[in-house]
């Protein structure tokens, strides 16, 4: 009686993470895994860590067959290609969690200008729930398609949105300096992500032009109300997994006035309290006093976040595992919500 | 006829780097290396990479003996302890390059409040040249004591100072987000810098309270004129060597006005031109078009720096090797200037 | 109705791994965690990854209190200290899984000569089951004390013992070249395991004199019959977790004769078949055709092992996670066997 | 008056290492660097670490132009392609140091069977000097073509050859277990050497079938006399640079008899003395008492080697930097010998 899951595009790191998580899931089972080039081979031939743990043959993508056998599909295809497949799957009655950016943004024109493609299913843009159960659990529960969040956006939206919504910080002076492990760049063969290129090296990339910037702005706006603007700088960091976001914000006039009269930590306390209130029912979001490190959440679906004051600014820090809460763990969490299971099922 | 050099406190990473660099130096030779606990042992017993390359016995610190045998001392002791030794060495006529923070700051009270100690030689505070030959070569050439710069300050001052001096950026809205390799934390046995604590993990530390913050503010002020204020956040990064500083600044009104009329890259071009002019005679400072990575400067005394525009802000990026240009390479460069050699001698 | 577990010596990496595994275990719960220096602090203060996941205060070791509250103790203390505590716990009726080497060897004199101490509970030496459920499940089920295996021995005994037992390889020409991640060296502050000492470096240590050598010889003998002799060389490898053992053996005369007549892979096939037969009911031991990598088993309790032929020798390769199957995962597996649960409970 | 050097195939890691070393060389200068796909671009565009340090445009390979401008060429092309180019360069009077395996082996048939290609210049096979100046300096000095050694062979031949030549060890029972950093796999885009595939993982590859096995056997035979046979197992290790070889050998009857009567370290002493005698005039080969680590020789042309006794066997350990002494540093050392400079020029 467990859920039957299809994994579309199983050869990458997010695909492996989905497969791994499902081998432990009490209510779901991986029934179909697709991969174009490797169809016909056992999944362990592309992911040797699954040898002896998951006996499944990779197959070609066949929406009809998936429609017959599966309740839900996790779609790990590149943008645009993904939207096409999502549409086919929805047409055959499969609910879909889409890892691509195709249904994350509210605006078709923003999507098409940042991603440089025509959207294959424009009608659904702006009408698909964003898969952050901390804010959208109710819509996720009823959705046929869930847009699984980007990894950087997850690390930024979770600390920012409650503070903006409560009017504690300004929306026009936000700098997000994010550091990601290399798995965020995917598993295709590129010189830039070879071991010897990234080991012992940290560098920024896509400064001021990364596609996750509009996603962060869009979602914080949707959750919290006012429009915000962020400066977002991602960095490639010599580790496999993890994202640390260091976020520089200014207290709102209200918070500044309020905390001016009190102890030096008043603003910090207000931020912590706001987070605790907002995430009281969110099992994975953990405000902490210590400064979070990516290792503290590695391999888990947890988010650790903390705050410090420095001069007139507040420094927010959040750590996630980019492949788990930043991708595949979030997808399983979304699946749990969609099918009425405890959010933590299979994610313990 | 070559310089005879003493290395005080030879067992750490900066000590090893000094020893390595001097084995290649055409005009200088390591004559004495001191280490309290290991005195009597060959230097290769604490630094096995020197086996067969440097045959020298570690000895106790004896200023008189150093005074008789050496022209210059590199002092790698902890703060306060260092100032005491520096005074003894100066008294016996040895010129000193001091790796500690004891003589870097202009103000005794700032020093004593940030470092929490009485200064052992307060008369020299504010009267010692800061060892950044890019700005202070002339004073370094005549100095008896040179305060070797901090690693983070080097990575921040070099991109910032020329822009502040030329009035291109504002001094009151500067955020420095720095990422350092683990060697910056030194070689003493601490749980926090064990392999398994830092590997696969990035985290901020000392947010808003790191001692290099006043050093950056002090020095940019000394070089460039107006007082500035910075928000400085260091991060421990899973790599042995290197510092990347991502610096968020705002164009001054002048630059904003000027570049508003021109092409979108006008502000970027002005920054690059300012750096090229300022560092035309500085062989190690390299403005580059690409985004610098710490690996690009690993093991060298070079600084790569670059700039991007994002919204109303400019993002400055600089990469150094924290043990070379951030410490021991800078010391050799200072020694070269003090004794009239080419800045690049032994640093090729 | 779940098991109540005490964790003795909770501050190291094996302690953290036990705590993590038990947060997922369906039938067991961590009730008491002890740590001398940190008693009174929350466990998350020494293991920040447990923040928000395990709310437990560290306490002093009190066997009587443990006797009242717990069914089983996992003892992560240094050798000799461990045996004393194990005795106290057994005296109050607690069953113990001991991570130290105190009860692994058959011979008191071998123990005392390799470990250089008087054994605190000599009567139990040679009378305690070795915690390898693949061979000793029945005795483990009834044991009051289980000697949890060493990490290197696990990686060597599992591939070797069935082949010796079946007479497929010679026992007098075995070379084990093992490569371990740094976590095997523990979490105490030592210069040798600082990030910058071990990163980008591999080296052998304790060549010909590592304490796991007699453990391997003793156990293979106990399992397989004849006495064997091994040459064992461990290497410190720049990674946090994992052990790869590359084991060079010679076919027995019987196997050599038999495979001489057949295909070139006959000896390889016989080895694979022997492993498959021996481990048919062992859920964690996975003979594989590919060459195992430590990453394939990272974070799991699995063992991957493979074989190749080269000239007259066979090369056996085995990969485990040193903290899981090499320590804490094995302990949970033993606990499962001791209390009648499925071996895989909590280890999925 | 300095040497003019051509670098053929400049885009890989060995090419970068050659370029870096030559920027420091007192008697040689890089005049031409070729790269097919990137011709026309500055070399810093493929190697950003050279920005501001080497101003050279990549060009197409043109042997005639190289013949006019250069004294010597370093050829970093794949096997077979390399031999063709080497022939063209020799025809126009350029001396060549060839990084490929094309001229390393004595036997054409061995080459063709292990490399699976027809050799483009079979006449030169068996008539080209092997570029190990520790043994062949005189022939290298007069050679038009030098076969630069393989990285693993260098790490194995240097410890083995003197011991075989002196009859101290047996030639029929040699196991070489080598661990290499990832740069040995080159800079082309392959999934297997992506950061996330090799980080936190060690694995063997090409067990019993690596092409460096016949090279080791051939060269030890050429240097030392009798034919030997080795079992060679390379491992991919999570680090950028370095090779550690752990070599298991048996003392000859002579050495066994001799050392049986003496102290327990007699065999070890004889090995150390043999190495010291053999390498007395070899500035880069350093027998050491400690166990060598790859970090001890990283970025240098040094070889550290050591020996331990374990039971009836001796364990030899050697550490090199695979890109320096294992490739580009050796090439510069060969160039120095070919043109009459000190072996250490530019390699200090």
């Amino acid at each position: 009686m467990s859920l039957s899951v299809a994994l579309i595009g199983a050869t990458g790191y997010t695909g492996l993470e989905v497969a791994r998580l499902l081998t432990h899931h009490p209510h779901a089972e991986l029934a179909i895994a697709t991969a174009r080039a490797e169809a016909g081979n056992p999944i362990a031939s592309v992911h040797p860590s699954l040898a002896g743990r998951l006996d499944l043959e990779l197959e070609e993508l066949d929406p009809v067959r998936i429609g017959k056998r599966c309740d839900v599909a996790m779609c790990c295809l590149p943008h645009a290609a993904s939207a096409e497949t999502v549409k086919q799957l929805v047409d055959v009655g499969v609910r879909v969690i889409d890892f691509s950016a195709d249904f994350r943004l509210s605006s078709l024109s923003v999507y098409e200008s940042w991603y440089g493609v025509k959207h294959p299913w424009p009608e659904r843009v702006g009408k698909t729930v964003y898969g952050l159960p901390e804010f959208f659990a109710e819509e996720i529960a009823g959705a046929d398609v869930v847009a699984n969040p980007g990894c950087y956006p997850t690390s930024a939206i979770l600390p920012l949105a409650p503070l903006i919504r409560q009017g504690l910080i300004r929306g026009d002076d936000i700098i997000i300096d994010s550091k990601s492990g290399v798995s965020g760049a995917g598993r295709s063969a590129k010189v830039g992500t070879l071991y010897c290129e990234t080991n012992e090296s940290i560098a920024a990339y896509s400064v001021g032009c990364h596609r996750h910037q509009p996603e962060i702005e869009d979602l914080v706006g949707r959750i919290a109300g006012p429009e915000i603007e962020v400066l977002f700088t991602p960095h490639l960091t010599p580790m496999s997994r993890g994202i640390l976001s260091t976020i520089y914000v200014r207290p709102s006039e209200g918070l500044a006035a309020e905390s001016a009269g009190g102890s030096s930590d008043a603003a910090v306390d207000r931020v912590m309290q706001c987070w605790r209130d907002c995430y009281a029912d969110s099992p994975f979001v953990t405000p902490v006093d210590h400064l979070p490190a990516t290792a503290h959440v590695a391999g888990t679906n947890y988010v650790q976040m903390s705050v410090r004051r420095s001069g007139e600014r507040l420094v927010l820090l959040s750590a996630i595992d980019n492949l788990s809460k930043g991708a595949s763990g979030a997808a399983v969490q979304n699946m749990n919500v969609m099918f009425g299971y405890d959010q933590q099922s299979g994610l313990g």
Side-chain angles (χ1 to χ4, degrees), chain A:
Chain A
M1 287 302 296
S2 68
L3 282 180
S4 175
V5 184
L7 170 59
I8 317 293
T11 58
Y13 296 127
T14 51
L16 171 58
E17 193 71 8
V18 167
R20 267 188 195 156
L21 288 168
L22 293 182
T23 61
H24 308 168
H25 200 287
H27 311 300
E29 198 174 1
L30 189 56
I32 287 179
T34 81
R36 209 167 16 187
E38 293 84 0
N41 295 315
I43 194 168
S45 71
V46 294
H47 297 306
S49 63
L50 297 175
R53 299 166 62 190
L54 180 62
D55 188 16
L56 195 69
E57 194 172 288
L58 294 167
E59 48 186 87
E60 304 255 5
L61 171 56
D62 176 351
V64 174
R65 180 168 140 77
I66 292 172
K68 285 189 187 134
R69 295 211 34 204
C70 297
D71 306 290
V72 59
M74 309 257 182
C75 190
C76 305
L77 297 178
H79 64 262
S82 194
E84 278 190 67
T85 300
V86 171
K87 188 167 188 326
Q88 294 172 320
L89 291 164
V90 169
D91 286 348
V92 295
V94 177
R95 298 172 79 181
V96 186
I97 298 159
D98 178 29
F99 283 58
S100 86
D102 287 350
F103 302 102
R104 293 182 195 154
L105 300 179
S106 307
S107 153
L108 183 63
S109 64
V110 171
Y111 173 87
E112 294 193 339
S113 97
W114 280 84
Y115 287 84
V117 290
K118 274 274 154 212
H119 197 292
W121 196 11
E123 300 76 21
R124 278 302 294 261
V125 175
K127 299 196 187 96
T128 306
V129 65
Y130 191 79
L132 211 51
E134 287 77 9
F135 292 104
F136 303 110
E138 206 167 322
E139 290 136 283
I140 292 167
D144 59 347
V145 180
V146 172
N148 210 48
C151 50
Y152 288 121
T154 296
S155 80
I157 296 164
L158 288 170
L160 283 171
L163 307 182
I164 292 284
R165 189 163 61 181
Q166 288 233 343
L168 296 182
I169 60 171
R170 288 170 49 180
D172 62 347
D173 194 346
I174 298 174
I175 293 173
I176 303 168
D177 188 290
S178 294
K179 297 90 177 165
S180 172
V182 183
S183 60
R187 202 189 185 195
S188 53
K190 280 174 285 188
V191 169
T193 47
L194 290 178
Y195 186 86
C196 297
E197 302 291 315
T198 46
N199 184 40
E200 280 289 293
S201 198
I202 185 165
Y205 66 99
S206 303
V207 180
C209 59
H210 192 282
R211 289 160 170 176
H212 284 174
Q213 179 182 321
E215 185 176 330
I216 296 167
E217 291 170 343
D218 185 347
L219 265 294
V220 173
R222 273 200 258 170
I223 295 167
E227 280 197 10
I228 69 159
E229 216 175 292
V230 306
L231 193 173
F232 170 58
T233 311
H235 295 76
L236 196 63
T237 307
M239 55 191 194
S240 291
R241 299 171 77 133
I243 288 178
L244 182 78
S245 286
T246 310
I247 308 177
Y248 300 93
V249 298
R250 285 188 192 274
S252 63
E253 279 181 36
L255 178 59
E258 182 185 332
S259 53
S263 82
S264 70
D265 289 318
V268 162
D269 292 346
R270 279 298 303 274
V271 167
M272 288 294 284
Q273 194 53 52
C274 170
W275 285 342
R276 283 201 203 95
D277 293 346
C278 177
Y279 297 118
D281 299 325
S282 294
F284 295 113
V285 184
T286 311
V288 294
D289 290 326
H290 62 261
L291 291 168
T294 56
H296 299 158
V297 295
T300 81
N301 206 48
Y302 289 89
V303 184
Q304 289 199 355
M305 50 205 217
S306 193
V307 58
R308 291 291 183 275
R309 175 147 152 184
S310 179
E312 290 177 3
R313 278 196 172 83
L314 293 168
V315 185
L316 317 177
L317 299 120
S318 74
I320 64 167
D321 182 316
N322 63 310
L323 289 181
S324 185
K325 182 61 180 166
S328 306
V332 171
Q333 190 184 355
N334 281 316
M335 182 187 75
N336 290 337
V337 175
M338 289 165 84
F339 292 88
Y341 299 115
D342 185 285
Q343 282 194 29
Q344 300 180 75
S345 289
L347 295 169

